[in-house]
């Protein structure tokens, strides 16, 4: 041992295999690196899967959308002039009560049919919307039929006689309409809209947050140009929400929405027939009507009246028996006490 310069066998072995120390130092790094790679691979696969699902959903939305440019700049100018007349008439209060609905940066004008929605609902939630009674909103203006509906019928974008509801949404810059599905129990499909005054966009599958207002990324961003017509049906109309984001209204913009209400759509004046009540233990429960002050004492008073009446009858019989003449034997044989 002394001739080789090593005082310990372990030192000699260590000198003969110097690569082992480097190997030990590298093994943990290799292991950690593998874990990081696996984690990155799993995250990448999840991201890829989510992206594929969004793309597939976006395609289903696209399949339910039809767009066409129908109105020229000159056509738009004429229709926009008519919309300005509607706004002026509404400002003067010349429409029926439920024709005009005002909100910050957005006014709605209902024609033909109007319905409750949003804060107007007695009970919140999908399916609670109701049509107003007939005559609660103004009729569809003639110019809407002549300048808009007839053109769309001629282009095959609307069936003849389909439309009985027309709504004009008038947006100011920064206005919006939150994510929603046009009530399926109120309106038939398709839903047709005409975009006017400026270009904008319709977004699908967004989520809104408020104070301050924030909107998530859409599943599909659909440009809508001035003079264009958008037709929604199938998945785009029924299975995913659509909205207009504040950032997509940079100038004044208006849209005319043309729809048909269902024949069985519920109305505010509809009173469903209640089934006949079924007797049950619940029927024995107290009514919620307000009781009169002495109601709780009435059973006791009634019992006291009965007792007083009984005693009066007994006293009367006794008095009658004490005044009977002697010798009225047969009569006495049928005294009341024998019964």
């Amino acid at each position: 041992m002394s001739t080789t310069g090593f005082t310990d066998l372990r030192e000699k072995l260590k000198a003969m295999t110097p690569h082992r120390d480097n190997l030990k130092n590298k093994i943990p790094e290799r292991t950690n690196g593998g874990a990081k790679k696996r984690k990155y691979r799993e995250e990448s696969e999840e991201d890829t899967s989510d992206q594929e699902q969004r793309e597939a959903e976006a395609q289903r939305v696209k399949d339910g959308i039809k767009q066409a440019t129908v109105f020229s700049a000159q056509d738009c100018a004429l229709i926009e002039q008519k919309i300005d007349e509607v706004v002026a008439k509404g400002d003067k209060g010349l429409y029926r009560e439920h024709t005009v609905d005002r909100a910050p940066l957005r006014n709605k004008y209902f024609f033909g049919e109007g319905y409750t929605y949003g804060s107007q609902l007695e009970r919140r939630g999908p399916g609670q919307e109701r049509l107003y009674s007939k005559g609660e909103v103004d009729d569809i203006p003639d110019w809407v039929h002549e300048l808009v509906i007839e053109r769309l019928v001629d282009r095959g974008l609307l069936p003849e006689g389909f439309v009985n509801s027309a709504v004009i949404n008038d947006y100011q810059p920064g206005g919006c309409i939150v994510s929603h599905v046009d009530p399926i129990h109120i309106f038939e499909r398709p839903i047709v809209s005409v975009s006017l005054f400026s270009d904008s966009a319709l977004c699908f599958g967004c989520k809104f947050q408020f104070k301050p207002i924030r909107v998530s990324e859409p599943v599909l961003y659909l440009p809508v140009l001035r003079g264009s017509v958008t037709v929604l049906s199938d998945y785009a109309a029924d299975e995913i929400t659509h909205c207009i984001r504040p950032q997509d209204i940079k100038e004044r913009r208006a849209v005319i929405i043309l729809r048909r209400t269902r024949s069985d759509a519920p109305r505010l004046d509809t009173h469903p027939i209640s089934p006949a009540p079924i007797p049950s233990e619940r029927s024995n429960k107290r009514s919620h009507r307000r009781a009169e002050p002495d109601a709780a004492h009435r059973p006791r008073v009634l019992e006291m009246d009965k007792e007083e009446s009984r005693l009066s009858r007994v006293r009367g019989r006794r008095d009658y028996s004490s005044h009977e003449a002697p010798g009225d034997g047969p009569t006495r044989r049928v005294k009341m006490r024998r019964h």
Side-chain angles (χ1 to χ4, degrees):
M1 298 289 288
S2 59
T3 56
T4 58
F6 294 102
T7 60
D8 193 319
L9 181 60
R10 287 175 296 182
E11 292 181 4
K12 183 177 181 179
L13 292 173
K14 185 176 180 180
M16 294 172 64
T17 56
H19 61 282
R20 285 192 175 185
D21 289 341
N22 295 332
L23 183 63
K24 290 179 181 179
N25 293 333
K26 290 181 179 180
I27 288 174
E29 293 179 2
R30 187 180 302 169
T31 303
N32 292 337
K36 290 179 181 179
K37 288 180 180 179
R38 284 197 300 273
K39 185 176 180 181
Y40 177 77
R41 188 181 301 113
E42 289 173 358
E43 291 178 352
S44 299
E45 290 174 355
E46 290 178 0
D47 292 343
T48 301
S49 177
D50 290 344
Q51 183 64 26
E52 289 175 352
Q53 290 178 3
R54 289 179 69 86
E55 290 177 357
E57 186 173 23
Q59 186 58 53
R60 288 195 294 270
V61 177
K62 290 179 182 179
D63 292 343
I65 298 173
K66 183 186 296 184
Q67 279 190 307
T69 300
V70 176
F71 302 97
S72 65
Q74 184 177 358
D75 295 331
C76 290
L78 180 56
I79 297 171
E80 291 160 1
Q81 180 183 346
K82 295 296 184 180
I83 292 175
D84 285 336
E85 293 175 4
V86 168
V87 173
K89 193 173 178 179
D91 290 342
K92 294 177 182 178
L94 300 179
Y95 287 121
R96 297 170 190 172
E97 178 182 359
H98 295 298
T99 296
V100 183
D101 177 46
R102 301 185 185 278
L105 303 179
R106 191 268 298 146
N107 291 336
K108 295 176 78 74
Y109 302 87
F110 292 93
F111 296 104
E113 294 280 9
Y115 68 103
T116 59
Y117 67 98
S119 61
Q120 302 169 353
L121 299 177
E122 294 181 3
R123 296 175 60 187
R124 297 294 182 90
Q128 300 300 321
E129 298 88 354
R130 296 290 183 269
L131 290 173
Y132 285 115
S133 302
K134 286 286 189 180
E136 290 286 324
V137 303
D138 287 76
D139 295 333
I140 299 176
D142 291 339
W143 66 265
V144 174
H145 285 287
E146 296 167 1
L147 301 180
V148 182
I149 296 175
E150 290 182 5
R151 289 284 299 274
L152 300 183
V153 171
D154 292 341
R155 289 288 298 268
L157 297 172
L158 274 175
E160 180 75 36
F162 179 79
V163 177
N164 67 353
S165 171
V167 180
I168 299 174
N169 287 346
D170 188 15
Y171 298 92
Q172 298 303 317
C176 69
I177 187 166
V178 298
S179 297
H180 67 284
V181 172
D182 290 40
I184 297 175
H185 67 292
I186 297 288
F187 296 108
E188 295 183 3
R189 272 42 178 167
I191 300 161
V192 180
S193 60
V194 180
S195 189
L196 299 155
F197 284 105
S198 65
D199 299 343
S200 184
L202 192 62
C203 290
F204 295 82
C206 292
K207 293 181 180 179
F208 273 66
Q209 294 181 339
F210 301 92
K211 296 182 182 181
I213 189 168
R214 302 182 300 281
V215 188
S216 67
E217 284 298 313
V219 172
L220 178 68
Y221 175 91
L222 182 72
V224 285
L225 307 180
R226 181 188 181 212
S228 68
V229 178
T230 304
V231 183
L232 302 183
S233 58
D234 301 326
Y235 193 93
D238 298 339
E239 303 297 333
I240 190 170
T241 60
H242 59 272
C243 69
I244 296 174
R245 304 181 302 178
Q247 59 263 42
D248 296 326
I249 305 289
K250 298 179 176 61
E251 304 175 54
R252 182 192 177 188
R253 186 225 179 191
V255 58
I256 302 176
I257 305 172
L258 304 170
R259 295 175 291 201
R260 181 173 186 83
T261 58
R262 294 172 58 94
S263 59
D264 58 351
R267 292 186 181 274
L268 285 180
D269 59 353
T270 301
H271 301 288
I273 300 174
S274 301
I278 301 174
S280 66
E281 294 180 358
R282 293 183 180 181
S283 60
N284 296 327
K285 292 184 178 180
R286 291 184 179 180
S287 169
H288 293 286
R289 291 178 298 177
R290 185 177 178 182
E292 296 181 21
D294 62 340
H297 303 286
R298 284 181 179 173
R300 177 60 182 159
V301 172
L302 184 59
E303 291 296 325
M304 293 173 65
D305 290 343
K306 288 180 179 179
E307 181 66 16
E308 184 65 29
S309 178
R310 187 183 67 80
L311 292 175
S312 296
R313 289 197 301 271
V314 170
R315 285 195 295 268
R317 290 167 187 162
R318 289 175 180 174
D319 293 341
Y320 174 77
S321 300
S322 63
H323 288 87
E324 286 179 340
D328 293 338
T331 305
R332 294 180 68 85
R333 292 192 185 99
V334 290
K335 287 181 179 179
M336 294 297 293
R337 64 173 178 268
R338 296 180 60 185
H339 292 274

